[in-house]
Amino acid sequence: MPSKSFSARTLGANALKSFAHPLRLRLFELLDEHGPSTATRLAALLGQNTGATSYHLRELARHGIIEIVPGMGRGKEKFWRVTPGGFSYGDPAKDPEAASALTYLLDDLVRQRGAELNRWRAEEERTREEWVRASVLARRSLRLTAEEASGLRDEVLAVLERYRDLSDGRARAAQAEPAAPPPGTGHVVVHFDLFPVGETHREETP
């Protein structure tokens, strides 16, 4: 996702093809959901060996999708995180393999969001009241220009990046003092989509 000034870095064709891999997507998803982690911890969560996990993490890092967290970890231990500032997918139409990879990535994103929403609906009745009050499922239908839509996108994503920084800071504190996690902290997932409706074949009026 884009960051504050918000011209998000665009993944090139090679990055798209590298990212469109089931294990790499799952590694990215875990880092995005739970914050910085090591190859060893991620391997345990995924039932993989550490060597394979390390290789796929390095491949993601080679394309700037994730990075090593500065100052986190002991000795040779490396903590990985989603690269701040995010990225966009761009338009790989000139490369059929990259276009196929993009289709795979977007379909997986839709799958993930649907699964997360279904999980929340199943868990809501058993969730503590303060978290239910803090949650929201909202939809807005607006009339905006493309420029206004871009501004709305950038402002919302800037807020999300600010809270990601807060979350990553807590992960570093927990790593330093694992016995003292911040009280009241929970795992939160945020979905944000903005797209035009009915503009595909619209013709301009003279």
Side-chain angles (χ1 to χ4, degrees), residues 23-102:
L23 183 54
R24 290 173 197 170
L25 280 170
R26 185 63 181 135
L27 287 167
F28 179 87
E29 185 178 327
L30 287 172
L31 290 173
D32 189 50
E33 286 187 1
H34 302 293
S37 190
T38 65
T40 301
R41 292 181 183 178
L42 293 167
L45 289 171
L46 295 171
Q48 298 285 327
N49 65 71
T50 303
T53 303
S54 295
Y55 168 76
H56 289 294
L57 288 168
R58 289 195 302 271
E59 281 297 297
L60 290 171
R62 187 164 69 89
H63 296 289
I65 295 168
I66 67 171
E67 66 180 16
I68 295 172
V69 185
M72 194 171 181
R74 298 182 180 89
K76 295 183 178 180
E77 185 180 49
K78 296 176 182 177
F79 275 77
W80 300 89
R81 69 179 177 191
V82 172
T83 301
F87 54 84
S88 65
Y89 289 137
D91 181 8
K94 295 181 180 179
D95 184 330
E97 289 186 12
S100 177
L102 177 58

Side-chain angles (χ1 to χ4, degrees), residues 1 32 113 116 136 156 160 163 187-193:
M1 293 181 295
D32 189 50
R113 290 182 180 180
E116 288 169 344
V136 65
V156 172
L160 293 179
Y163 278 89
H187 174 204
V188 172
V189 173
V190 181
H191 294 155
F192 172 63
D193 303 293

Side-chain angles (χ1 to χ4, degrees), residues 5 22 30 80 85 92 103-104 115 128 161 167 177 194 206:
S5 62
L30 287 172
W80 300 89
T103 297
Y104 181 86
R128 295 198 308 272
E161 286 302 311
S167 177
E177 296 184 69
L194 186 155

Side-chain angles (χ1 to χ4, degrees), residues 2 65 82 95 120 147 172 185 202 205:
I65 295 168
V82 172
D95 184 330
W120 165 240
E147 182 178 2
R172 287 191 291 273
T185 301
R202 182 175 177 177
T205 303

